[in-house]
């Protein structure tokens, strides 16, 4: 039984790209073949991407094989060669073009094998979005578990030498899989370097917040090229102001840090405006704070994110607030503020 030329699972586009590249290199394309090749190439962006990848691999290995003698044996081929008997010379006649298919097939298989290895080494990038009211959990290809809060947006790049996360908005926690490749999170111009840990990153109104549930992280300025802003261990969190990168580090309850995984909002001496943002991620009924005095009020509590009745009852208990509600929103203002005073 013949050995399959292409390994199982190889995509049709990769097979075709390897074939067309070898045909081009061997000069085996006639005018009609060239037209078919061009039609294939422009039929899909995937075709162009795969062809360029094969061409890049071929260019990189060209110098490596250029010094080999022309009659160098291919392992496993010499034993299969059978000498042919000599034949009498015949009158010279028009010679048919040499059959190049075995040579082309062998070269295509070589390129394909190297191409697959290169593809495995190239970084893969994926984009994840969690919509309003729909936090999600994702297992990344390296085994890391990512909890993505509602109204959040991340880009994940995993390559041969590194693992990199870009948090564009919202909040994400990471239970990082053990791996020799560095794991970093970039957010608000800062870089978080994981040192074997479970940690949380949240982009808030005026600051970025970093919390460690297990292990340790470093928070570094200027996207990893600046100074060390915080060295955090389990049970610590840091808040870094967007304006001047002022850092405040506090001790924090680990259970509270990851409570949002179970759709709970736990807040400890936090301003109402930030608490409202966290509730609004989870609900279509909005918590609206009408003035700056109410927004700055610092509160402590532990509520289910989707339990609006308990939230309304909690706000009603605050002596300095006035609360009203309809089907679309819960409105809160300071008792001393004008009824229509926006902030």
């Amino acid at each position: 039984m013949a050995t399959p030329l292409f390994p199982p699972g190889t995509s049709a586009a990769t097979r075709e790209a390897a074939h067309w590249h070898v045909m081009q290199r061997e000069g085996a394309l006639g005018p009609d073949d060239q037209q078919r090749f061009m039609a294939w190439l422009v039929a899909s962006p995937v075709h162009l991407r795969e062809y360029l990848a094969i061409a890049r691999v071929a260019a990189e290995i060209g110098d490596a094989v250029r010094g080999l003698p022309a009659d160098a044996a291919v392992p496993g081929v010499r034993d299969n060669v059978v000498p042919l008997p000599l034949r009498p010379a015949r009158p010279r006649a028009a010679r048919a073009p040499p059959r190049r298919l075995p040579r082309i097939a062998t070269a295509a298989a070589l390129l394909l094998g190297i191409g697959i290895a290169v593809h495995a080494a190239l970084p893969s990038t994926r984009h994840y979005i969690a919509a309003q009211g729909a936090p999600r959990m994702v297992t990344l290809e390296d085994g890391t578990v990512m909890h993505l809060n509602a109204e959040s947006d991340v880009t994940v790049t995993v390559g041969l030498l590194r693992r990199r996360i870009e948090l564009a908005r919202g909040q994400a926690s990471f239970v990082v899989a053990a791996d020799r490749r560095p794991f970093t999170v970039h957010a608000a111009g800062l870089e978080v370097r994981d040192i074997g840990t479970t940690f949380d990153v949240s982009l808030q109104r005026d600051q970025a917040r970093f919390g460690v549930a297990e292990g340790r992280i470093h928070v570094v300025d200027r996207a990893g090229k600046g100074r060390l802003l915080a060295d955090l261990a389990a049970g610590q969190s840091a808040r870094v102001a967007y304006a001047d990168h002022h850092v405040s580090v506090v001790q924090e309850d680990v259970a509270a840090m990851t409570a949002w995984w179970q759709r709970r909002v736990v807040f400890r001496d936090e301003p109402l405006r930030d608490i409202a943002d966290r509730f609004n991620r989870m609900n279509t009924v909005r918590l609206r704070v009408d003035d700056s005095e109410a927004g700055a009020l610092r509160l402590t509590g532990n509520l289910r994110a989707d339990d609006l009745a308990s939230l309304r009852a909690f706000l009603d208990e605050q002596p300095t607030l006035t609360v009203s509600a309809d089907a679309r929103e819960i409105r809160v203002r300071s008792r001393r503020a004008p009824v229509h005073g926006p902030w």
Side-chain angles (χ1 to χ4, degrees), residues 30 38 41 90 97 244 264:
M38 291 304 300
L41 192 65
R90 294 184 177 181
D244 57 5
R264 299 198 69 84

Side-chain angles (χ1 to χ4, degrees), residues 60-274:
E60 290 174 354
I61 67 173
D63 292 338
V65 301
R66 189 169 295 142
L68 294 177
D71 59 350
V74 178
V77 173
R78 175 175 294 175
D79 295 339
N80 296 327
V81 176
V82 179
L84 298 176
L86 295 176
R87 296 186 178 183
R90 294 184 177 181
R92 198 176 190 89
R95 184 177 298 176
R99 295 186 65 191
R100 303 188 181 192
L101 289 181
R103 184 179 176 189
I104 290 172
T106 301
L110 174 63
L111 285 173
L112 179 63
I114 297 174
I116 291 173
V118 170
H119 272 283
L122 292 175
S124 64
T125 299
R126 295 191 177 185
H127 190 203
Y128 299 94
I129 295 176
Q132 181 185 7
R136 56 189 297 199
M137 183 180 74
V138 179
T139 300
L140 306 181
E141 62 182 83
D142 68 327
T144 294
V145 176
M146 177 177 69
H147 295 267
L148 191 61
N149 205 349
E151 294 188 341
S152 299
D153 186 333
V154 299
T155 300
V156 178
T157 302
V158 178
L160 184 64
L161 301 177
R162 65 173 184 169
R163 299 172 290 169
R164 177 187 174 103
I165 312 292
E166 297 277 353
L167 178 63
R169 64 186 177 102
Q171 181 177 16
S173 292
F174 305 92
V175 183
V176 183
D179 196 301
R180 292 184 178 181
R181 292 171 293 181
F183 187 99
T184 60
V185 177
H186 291 251
L190 306 171
E191 179 183 83
V192 181
R193 297 174 184 169
D194 161 68
I195 309 176
T197 191
T198 299
F199 66 97
D200 183 85
V201 180
S202 179
L203 298 178
Q204 302 176 345
R205 284 173 176 262
D206 305 317
Q207 61 188 4
R209 176 192 164 280
F210 308 91
V212 181
E214 181 181 1
R216 188 177 172 191
I217 64 171
H218 288 164
V219 181
V220 184
D221 204 356
R222 294 176 54 204
K225 298 179 181 179
R227 62 189 177 95
L228 178 65
L229 296 179
D231 181 351
L232 303 177
Q236 289 184 310
S237 68
R239 290 165 172 78
V240 181
Y242 297 144
D244 57 5
H245 283 192
H246 172 75
V247 181
S248 59
V249 177
V250 298
Q251 294 297 127
E252 189 164 347
D253 179 23
V254 170
M257 197 181 300
T258 58
W260 66 267
W261 298 3
Q262 286 77 43
R263 290 177 173 259
R264 299 198 69 84
V265 177
V266 178
F267 41 100
R268 301 279 187 268
D269 191 33
E270 296 183 44
L272 180 56
R273 59 175 175 267
D274 291 342

Side-chain angles (χ1 to χ4, degrees), residues 257-312:
M257 197 181 300
T258 58
W260 66 267
W261 298 3
Q262 286 77 43
R263 290 177 173 259
R264 299 198 69 84
V265 177
V266 178
F267 41 100
R268 301 279 187 268
D269 191 33
E270 296 183 44
L272 180 56
R273 59 175 175 267
D274 291 342
I275 299 168
D277 289 341
R278 293 161 66 183
F279 273 98
N280 289 341
R281 283 178 177 170
M282 299 288 190
N283 300 283
T284 55
V285 176
R286 312 293 285 180
L287 174 56
R288 175 176 170 180
V289 185
D290 278 344
D291 63 89
S292 58
E293 184 176 343
L297 179 65
R298 306 187 77 86
L299 299 170
T300 297
N302 183 343
L303 299 171
R304 276 196 57 84
D306 55 358
D307 187 352
L308 296 178
S310 294
L311 172 62
R312 170 68 190 271

